[in-house]
Amino acid sequence: MKILGIESSCDETAAAVVEDGRQILSNVVATQIPFHQEFNGVVPEIASRKHAEWILPVVQQALNDAHLSLSDIDGIAATNRPGLMGSLLVGLTFAKTLAWSAGKPFVAVNHMLGHLYAAHLSADIQYPYLGLLVSGGHCIICKVDDFDDITVLGTTVDDAPGEAFDKVAKFYGLGYPGGVVIDRLAKNGDPAAACFPIPSLHKGEHRYDVSYSGLKTAVINQIDQFWNPGYEKSPENISAAFQETAVRILLSRLFRAVEDTGLTTVVAGGGVAANSRLRSMLAEHPEINCIFPPLKLCTDNGAMIAGVGYRFLKRGDRSPLDITASARVPLFKRGLKNVAPGKMST
């Protein structure tokens, strides 16, 4: 089965063709970063307008790169949640219209399932495993028994990791996207320059949750309190110390989940999964088999949507053409099981 996947949840207009849920025949991503850099963040109105402008040529390029026509496609999948409402509607509406006009089966895909599936496009991964989904808007530690059978163990109680990276970078004028800039600057900094606090909150069922608002506040408003003498407050040192603490917060909860569940395979996904320090710190623990997607599949892309779409369509699932987009989804409720296409429910 050759599935066309379309992704437009935020500021990437993306389309890809994936065969049998694994083989990427094409993967086209048109990034809007230059249009949002001056604002140090994504402007929803600009994002949706660019999606409307680019969606047709991006999809056509994906078909051309795969050396296929629309008649060769066996099904169409598109992101319908969560994300920016205007952006989602562009890709979803285009995909539904294309499916209807061509008589192709259609399925709506949750963006979070896509990120968790991304590593499967380049590696043969056996279930169950622990999923680590970290991005600008989400932070999820979960037990994954199948592509749509997920139990959420922990999440963020406030900011997502990528959100904290962007806010710190914006405050210090480091540039955008914040995660990429801080990662680059941190390579020339010293993480020992500051000793930022690691929250010790939550016990019981919340023992896997993370919090980043305190770290963000410490780096932005209370940096003198935690700065170690003898270190210059350079962008490189600030970046290194902040990044080190941000990663340690995340891994402290992940290691707890590994110990409690006995699962030693961890599959990462999302934009922050591209962070070099996260990857290197996990590599220091050979007892954990951590599988990362290739860097190009960490950020938003159509291939991960096509991969999940294949699994749904192969099972016989379809989404009605009146399905709409949703900016949010109740993914953070614990015990999430048996996710139907196009929706998330407990």
Side-chain angles (χ1 to χ4, degrees), residues 151 177 237 287 289 294 304:
T151 302
N237 283 342
E287 72 278 10
N289 175 30
M304 66 184 190

Side-chain angles (χ1 to χ4, degrees), residues 120-198:
H120 289 261
L121 293 165
S122 60
D124 186 14
I125 306 171
Q126 301 300 311
Y127 298 102
Y129 57 76
L130 286 176
L132 177 65
L133 199 162
V134 278
S135 66
H138 303 279
C139 180
I140 301 166
I141 297 172
C142 55
K143 181 175 181 285
V144 183
D145 291 296
D146 204 346
F147 82 99
D148 65 339
D149 189 354
I150 299 164
T151 302
V152 175
L153 303 177
T155 182
T156 179
V157 300
D158 39 57
D159 293 341
E163 182 182 3
F165 272 83
D166 283 342
K167 289 180 177 178
V168 169
K170 181 177 181 179
F171 179 82
Y172 286 103
L174 303 179
Y176 175 82
V180 176
V181 175
I182 287 177
D183 194 4
R184 184 179 69 245
L185 290 172
K187 289 180 171 63
N188 296 314
D190 191 335
C195 187
F196 295 119
I198 294 180

Side-chain angles (χ1 to χ4, degrees), residues 85-242:
M85 195 64 176
S87 294
L88 285 166
L89 284 170
V90 174
L92 179 65
T93 303
F94 184 92
K96 291 193 298 181
T97 304
L98 195 62
W100 173 80
S101 63
K104 303 293 182 180
F106 169 77
V107 66
V109 173
N110 187 292
H111 183 77
M112 301 295 97
L113 293 183
H115 276 308
L116 284 173
Y117 190 85
H120 289 261
L121 293 165
S122 60
D124 186 14
I125 306 171
Q126 301 300 311
Y127 298 102
Y129 57 76
L130 286 176
L132 177 65
L133 199 162
V134 278
S135 66
H138 303 279
C139 180
I140 301 166
I141 297 172
C142 55
K143 181 175 181 285
V144 183
D145 291 296
D146 204 346
F147 82 99
D148 65 339
D149 189 354
I150 299 164
T151 302
V152 175
L153 303 177
T155 182
T156 179
V157 300
D158 39 57
D159 293 341
E163 182 182 3
F165 272 83
D166 283 342
K167 289 180 177 178
V168 169
K170 181 177 181 179
F171 179 82
Y172 286 103
L174 303 179
Y176 175 82
V180 176
V181 175
I182 287 177
D183 194 4
R184 184 179 69 245
L185 290 172
K187 289 180 171 63
N188 296 314
D190 191 335
C195 187
F196 295 119
I198 294 180
S200 58
L201 70 165
H202 303 308
K203 297 180 180 179
E205 68 169 347
H206 297 285
R207 58 191 274 105
Y208 311 110
D209 288 345
V210 299
S211 170
Y212 282 99
S213 64
L215 172 61
K216 180 189 66 180
T217 299
V219 178
I220 292 176
N221 298 321
Q222 302 171 326
I223 195 168
D224 291 339
Q225 181 179 342
F226 303 103
W227 201 258
N228 292 322
Y231 289 93
E232 178 189 1
K233 288 180 184 173
S234 64
E236 292 79 7
N237 283 342
I238 292 172
S239 296
F242 162 71

Side-chain angles (χ1 to χ4, degrees), residues 323-346:
I323 192 169
T324 189
S326 176
R328 297 186 179 275
V329 64
L331 182 61
F332 301 136
K333 294 180 180 178
R334 298 166 206 282
L336 188 72
K337 303 290 282 186
N338 299 320
V339 184
K343 63 182 179 182
M344 282 280 191
S345 60
T346 52

